[in-house]
Amino acid sequence: MKKLLVLFALIALVLGSFTGCSSTPEETGPKTVKVGIAIYKFDDTFMTNYRTEMEAYLTGMNSDEVTYEVSITDGKNDQATQTEQIDNFIAQAYDVLIVNLVDLTAASTIIEKVKAADIPTVFINRQPSADDMKLWDKITYVGAKAEDSGTYQGEIAVDLWNAGGVDKNGDGVMQYVMLMGQEIHQDAALRTEYSIKKVEAEGIKVEKLFEERGNWDRVLGQEKTAAAIAQFGDKIEVVFGNNDDMALGAIEALKAAGMVVPVIGVDATAPALDAIAAGDLSGTVLNDSVGQAHTSVDKALALLAGETLEKEYWVPYVKVTPENYKDFQ
Ligand code: BGC
Ligand code: CA
């Protein structure tokens, strides 16, 4: 009986090698790694650049050994929608997730879910609290230090002031308008704070004329600036936008009112660089979507490979002015 089994096994082996159904890696094909990416909403210029780059970077790494199957969801700025999308990734046994939360207060719920399913996760762009990040070791955060972007905006304003291009009414005070991003986002508060802090640190007095939320949105940025113009008109000496989309909206409103006022943004998106070229935008700060996309993907794959990571990784901001904008186009 035993001999007969050995014989069968041998025949199977020989047949196998003839018909080619043995299981060497070439013949079973590359292994598939399923990467789920949840974006807070698709209708956002910066996050669109970011997600496009993550996808390109991942699929660019496809090889004979591995195929990255990437699925990206649009949270539509609604946490309930995004949580459902993450539940779906978990139900479909995704290998690793990259999450741009809608609402930071949902971080602990999401972390508990991915932990229960043992799916390593990288948070991007919106930083969960330090306490939330302690909930599991297979999570990390990739972002950029918002304080620095604010400080660079302040430096741009100071340089314009020193060049004599800001103090229209000659009172020695910088009268400004601040367009803020969404309240839930750490970048909004920090850019608002650090831009003005830098101006004051250089000994320039400031007067806040108007400070409202444009929620990162170009149309809202235009509407809020139009409201500021209606209220303060020529008193406005500089406009700070927490991002480029709102700054570009501000430029539209100023043009419509026939006003020329320095406007400073953050992100260095393509339309913002064009606006610098056209002389409409005074400066911006590169929020490096390519660098952040690559770092997030690298960290996701490192977590998947079982590496122990830090709790946060930072990609530097770069100041962008009419002198150097071409380097970023
Ligand atoms: C960017 C904004 C973007 C926001 C999305 C910020 O870091 O500067 O342009 O709308 O992230 O969360
Ligand atoms: Ca003034």
Side-chain angles (χ1 to χ4, degrees):
M1 185 65 187
K2 215 174 176 185
K3 271 186 191 155
L4 208 64
L5 276 179
V6 170
L7 191 69
F8 274 136
L10 270 174
I11 291 170
L13 209 74
V14 169
L15 278 179
S17 65
F18 277 126
T19 53
C21 62
S22 66
S23 61
T24 59
E26 291 82 15
E27 279 145 346
T28 50
K31 81 165 185 191
T32 301
V33 172
K34 294 206 279 184
V35 184
I37 302 179
I39 299 295
Y40 93 102
K41 70 170 185 177
F42 277 5
D43 181 20
D44 178 291
T45 310
F46 172 75
M47 287 313 307
T48 298
N49 294 339
Y50 199 139
R51 73 179 147 94
T52 309
E53 186 60 34
M54 284 192 287
E55 184 167 25
Y57 185 58
L58 273 163
T59 52
M61 286 192 288
N62 285 342
S63 66
D64 292 343
E65 282 85 46
V66 52
T67 302
Y68 293 101
E69 202 179 293
V70 186
S71 171
I72 310 184
T73 55
D74 178 0
K76 303 207 159 81
N77 202 28
D78 179 61
Q79 189 55 54
T81 300
Q82 185 179 65
T83 303
E84 220 170 90
Q85 292 164 342
I86 292 170
D87 285 340
N88 279 335
F89 282 143
I90 294 172
Q92 292 169 52
Y94 269 67
D95 295 293
V96 62
L97 302 185
I98 297 176
V99 177
N100 171 216
L101 284 168
V102 175
D103 182 349
L104 283 170
T105 61
S108 57
T109 309
I110 302 297
I111 294 167
E112 293 303 347
K113 282 173 188 282
V114 294
K115 181 181 175 183
D118 195 26
I119 303 176
T121 298
V122 176
F123 291 96
I124 58 168
N125 178 258
R126 290 161 180 230
Q127 187 176 21
S129 72
D131 280 345
D132 288 341
M133 292 305 287
K134 281 187 202 132
L135 292 171
W136 195 31
D137 53 354
K138 293 188 196 172
I139 54 174
T140 188
Y141 173 72
V142 173
K145 289 254 184 216
E147 298 88 329
D148 294 348
S149 55
T151 301
Y152 286 141
Q153 286 190 294
E155 280 180 20
I156 295 169
V158 168
D159 287 346
L160 290 168
W161 177 273
N162 290 339
V166 176
D167 193 14
K168 274 194 293 195
N169 65 356
D171 67 350
V173 179
M174 186 187 287
Q175 276 85 13
Y176 73 91
V177 165
M178 181 69 69
L179 301 171
M180 295 187 294
Q182 286 178 305
E183 191 171 7
I184 197 69
H185 204 308
Q186 77 282 343
D187 288 357
L190 292 169
R191 288 173 189 165
T192 299
E193 181 187 345
Y194 279 80
S195 52
I196 299 306
K197 240 189 198 168
K198 181 63 190 172
V199 174
E200 290 181 309
E202 296 300 315
I204 300 166
K205 289 202 195 76
V206 297
E207 183 189 349
K208 172 168 51 184
L209 296 178
F210 183 97
E211 181 178 274
E212 283 196 29
R213 294 196 187 278
N215 291 342
W216 307 123
D217 182 77
R218 182 167 179 155
V219 173
L220 271 179
Q222 180 256 317
E223 286 171 5
K224 294 292 176 189
T225 308
I229 292 169
Q231 215 178 330
F232 299 102
D234 281 333
K235 278 196 189 145
I236 303 169
E237 294 182 332
V238 59
V239 177
F240 294 90
N242 283 172
N243 77 344
D244 283 343
D245 271 2
M246 293 188 291
L248 293 169
I251 290 168
E252 283 172 46
L254 289 164
K255 279 192 174 169
M259 289 169 66
V260 180
V261 167
V263 178
I264 304 164
V266 176
D267 284 338
T269 59
L273 296 172
D274 290 346
I276 294 182
D280 291 334
L281 184 67
S282 296
T284 184
V285 181
L286 173 72
N287 189 5
D288 185 0
S289 53
V290 172
Q292 289 176 67
H294 293 190
T295 306
S296 335
V297 167
D298 289 345
K299 297 307 170 195
L301 299 183
L303 283 176
L304 190 57
E307 282 176 41
T308 306
L309 297 190
E310 305 289 326
K311 282 289 163 204
E312 47 187 36
Y313 292 91
W314 301 109
V315 175
Y317 282 107
V318 186
K319 185 163 68 174
V320 182
T321 64
E323 285 70 51
N324 69 346
Y325 77 93
K326 286 199 176 114
D327 300 345
F328 305 92
Q329 273 182 322

